[in-house]
Amino acid sequence: MDIRSLQKPLKEQYRRDPGSSRITLTAKGGETGTPLSCSVDIGRAIYQAEAHKGVGGTGTAACSGDLLLGALAACAQLTCQLVATAMGVPTAHIEVTVSGDMDLQGTLGISKEVPVGFETIRVQFYLDAPQATPEQLLALQEKTEQYCVVFQTMLHPPRIETRWSTSN
């Protein structure tokens, strides 16, 4: 697959009309029959999510931490595949595993000293690329990390705004 040819008209359009490159993605949470689960609608699919087993969930659906790590894994996987293809790096197989550590005492409000959320996140890339040169692999790593949207968003968090509205 020729990624450069595929993306060329998009890049040309964005250069001609920079405003056309701006997008907004939206995800919407919705209630289910229990406070321990919800639906997440991303516009093209609806996913079921629930509280982690460690805070009372059943463990049968993804928790929000799973979804966050999954978003990073998907973005890193796709970015690495796209960059390898565009750069002509010969790979037989690419696989990304993301894992994260947290202490649920923070989430449950047991300890004010324990942070809420992940304390460490690890991204492991496994490449089967016996024909690739060390220079190609280094360039692949640099470009993958540079262009992975979720990775860069987590490294440089955006400003988050909240709004609350009521039916009153």
Side-chain angles (χ1 to χ4, degrees):
M1 177 178 281
D2 184 359
I3 299 299
R4 292 179 192 264
S5 292
L6 181 70
Q7 292 179 341
K8 184 179 179 183
L10 296 169
K11 289 181 178 184
E12 289 172 355
Q13 175 188 338
Y14 301 155
R15 285 185 183 108
R16 272 192 323 273
D17 178 12
S20 68
S21 68
R22 300 191 59 78
I23 65 170
T24 299
L25 300 177
T26 301
K28 184 176 182 179
E31 283 186 287
T32 60
T34 169
L36 293 170
S37 68
C38 71
S39 63
V40 181
D41 184 345
I42 62 167
R44 293 166 301 287
I46 298 176
Y47 297 92
Q48 298 306 309
E50 72 174 13
H52 188 275
K53 194 172 186 175
V55 298
T58 65
T60 59
C63 74
S64 53
D66 295 325
L67 297 172
L68 177 71
L69 298 181
L72 178 55
C75 193
Q77 178 77 40
L78 289 168
T79 304
C80 191
Q81 291 172 188
L82 286 163
V83 170
T85 302
M87 293 176 58
V89 178
T91 61
H93 184 73
I94 299 171
E95 185 174 286
V96 176
T97 301
V98 178
S99 55
D101 304 319
M102 72 172 79
D103 186 334
L104 296 176
Q105 291 182 78
T107 300
L108 290 173
I110 295 170
S111 170
K112 292 188 186 295
E113 287 76 46
V114 175
V116 175
F118 287 101
E119 297 166 345
T120 304
I121 294 176
R122 292 171 299 284
V123 183
Q124 174 67 51
F125 290 81
Y126 171 75
L127 298 163
D128 182 5
Q131 306 302 316
T133 66
E135 294 79 15
Q136 285 177 312
L137 294 175
L138 180 59
L140 177 59
Q141 177 183 349
E142 290 171 353
K143 295 297 183 190
T144 297
E145 291 179 7
Q146 178 182 357
Y147 293 118
C148 178
V149 171
V150 176
F151 181 76
Q152 286 297 324
T153 300
M154 293 175 85
L155 284 177
H156 310 284
R159 181 182 70 248
I160 297 178
E161 302 169 2
T162 62
R163 291 187 206 124
W164 292 68
S165 58
T166 63
S167 60
N168 305 18

